[in-house]
Amino acid sequence: MRQRFTRVLGGVALVALVAAGAAACKKEETPANSAACDLKIGFFGAITGADAGLVTPIKQGADLAVAQYNEKNPNCKVTVAPFDSQGAPTNASGLAKSAVADTKIVAMIGPAFSGESEVANPIFEEAGLAGITPSATRPSLSSAGLKIFHRGVGNDDAQGPAAARYIKDVIKSTKVFVVDDQSAYGAGLADKVKSTLGTAVIKSTKVTDNQQDFSAVVSDVKTSGADVLFYGGYTEEAAPFLKQLRAGGYTGKFMGGDGINDANMISVPGATTAEGVLATCPCAPATAAKGTFVADFKKAYGNDPGVYADVAYDVANIYLEAIKAGKSSRADILSFLQSYNKAGSASGVTYKWDAKGELAPDQVKVYVFEVKGGAWNPLAEAPRG
């Protein structure tokens, strides 16, 4: 029947049919609503600065997802718009205002840290700009009544007690010294650890942002008799603190949260000094991610994915799925997230948020990582409560 039809219509018809077929293919590569083209996804975090080591793999995961999407949709590409906070809450307001002023930005990945999230999220709320943070873990972020807020991982209500259980049940320490950097993230995490450990915490103190001389704290730690030091905060201060602790003769365990789980925590004090450092994360190891993510990441960047890279990849793909479906406005994206209920292709986590923007508790796992041989390695899942 097809051959007979071709003979009747001749060569002109063939050309028309081929053109129509090409148009159909092109249409398949374009979102359902062509208005969903030439859009941007924002990325907010410490892209440069002393704490960029934690954020770099997160951005790489997001960039990888967008690059793969653009390769499949060459006629309707999406752009990542970076906002480099350098990890400083004082930079967050101006950056957030710049982001909401760009009407092409329809969704935000981040902010990466809790302190900057506290500043930026109310600005995003006023503009209706949906956000999913792949790494900000302060519990109170979801208690502000913001519709735009979503968290792609567990929070410190899970991480803090899990870290404390690891100290108590695995390390079996009864003499713990707790230090925090007074940041929204660090202080909150340290408080959770202290409240869970109770009398096992023999002393606690605070350091400050940008502090470089820790001699007084080092002396305090050594005379305390503590065999475990838990640090709530970020690498910028934790790395020189660790270096000075070891130089001062402290031989106990050094443990922190996800805020120190980055390459700079090894390179700044040196691999030998950092050997044996422990860090928790309310996430599974990115190196054990599902599908082709690990291989794709290594091909793109030449190294294994760091912490939260798989989460950021999934988060970016959620937004890209919305754009592919023709969601072209901030309101469309926000509505899309409110009914979302699917497992991420990399992390395997089911992304379904409650009214506060939190994941279901059964989707949250807390892992312990250890510096061994100059690299972070997954050690074990922390004991569950």
Side-chain angles (χ1 to χ4, degrees), residues 199-219:
T199 57
V201 177
I202 57 175
K203 198 164 186 180
S204 64
T205 192
K206 296 180 179 294
V207 296
T208 60
D209 185 32
N210 296 319
Q211 183 171 336
Q212 293 300 308
D213 181 3
F214 298 92
S215 55
V217 184
V218 169
S219 177

Side-chain angles (χ1 to χ4, degrees), residues 7 11 14 31-32 56 88 93 117 131 136 146 181 200 204 259-260 340 356 369:
R7 284 196 299 270
L14 274 173
T56 295
S93 178
S117 296
L146 305 181
D181 65 356
S204 64
I260 70 168
Y340 199 80
K356 296 172 66 176
F369 295 77

Side-chain angles (χ1 to χ4, degrees), residues 13-58:
L14 274 173
V15 172
L17 286 170
V18 170
C25 290
K26 186 175 292 186
K27 185 176 181 181
E28 288 177 1
E29 293 176 342
T30 304
N33 179 355
S34 60
C37 291
D38 193 30
L39 298 178
K40 301 177 185 179
I41 297 172
F43 183 93
F44 196 116
I47 299 171
T48 64
D51 292 316
L54 179 62
V55 178
T56 295
I58 301 175

Side-chain angles (χ1 to χ4, degrees), residues 298-331:
K298 290 179 73 171
K299 182 179 179 181
Y301 303 112
N303 53 265
D304 286 328
V307 66
Y308 294 130
D310 54 335
V311 180
Y313 179 84
D314 284 346
V315 167
N317 273 317
I318 292 171
Y319 288 144
L320 293 167
E321 182 181 342
I323 291 170
K324 183 70 173 177
K327 311 302 180 183
S328 60
S329 71
R330 293 173 180 176

Side-chain angles (χ1 to χ4, degrees), residues 168-204:
K168 179 182 177 182
D169 300 339
V170 180
I171 301 177
K172 298 188 182 303
S173 173
T174 57
K175 294 182 178 180
V176 183
F177 197 113
V178 178
V179 179
D180 75 73
D181 65 356
Q182 303 186 61
S183 67
Y185 156 74
L189 179 61
D191 286 345
K192 292 293 180 182
V193 170
K194 286 190 289 187
S195 63
T196 304
L197 284 174
T199 57
V201 177
I202 57 175
K203 198 164 186 180
S204 64

Side-chain angles (χ1 to χ4, degrees), residues 60-195:
Q60 288 174 331
D63 287 342
L64 177 61
V66 172
Q68 291 175 340
Y69 178 88
N70 287 340
E71 186 176 354
K72 295 176 182 176
N73 300 274
N75 299 307
C76 192
K77 293 184 176 182
V78 174
T79 304
V80 176
F83 294 88
D84 183 9
S85 67
Q86 297 186 320
T90 51
N91 294 334
S93 178
L95 291 172
K97 290 174 182 176
S98 294
V100 300
D102 186 343
T103 57
K104 287 290 186 179
I105 297 176
V106 294
M108 181 63 65
I109 299 173
F113 294 164
S114 297
E116 62 195 23
S117 296
E118 289 182 329
V119 177
N121 283 348
I123 298 170
F124 295 151
E125 176 75 9
E126 187 175 351
L129 180 62
I132 309 174
T133 177
S135 54
T137 56
R138 186 171 176 85
S140 61
L141 294 177
S142 65
S143 302
L146 305 181
K147 294 179 181 178
I148 57 94
F149 177 78
H150 304 80
R151 199 186 324 255
V153 294
N155 63 38
D156 290 335
D157 282 340
Q159 181 176 202
R165 287 192 295 270
Y166 189 88
I167 292 170
K168 179 182 177 182
D169 300 339
V170 180
I171 301 177
K172 298 188 182 303
S173 173
T174 57
K175 294 182 178 180
V176 183
F177 197 113
V178 178
V179 179
D180 75 73
D181 65 356
Q182 303 186 61
S183 67
Y185 156 74
L189 179 61
D191 286 345
K192 292 293 180 182
V193 170
K194 286 190 289 187
S195 63

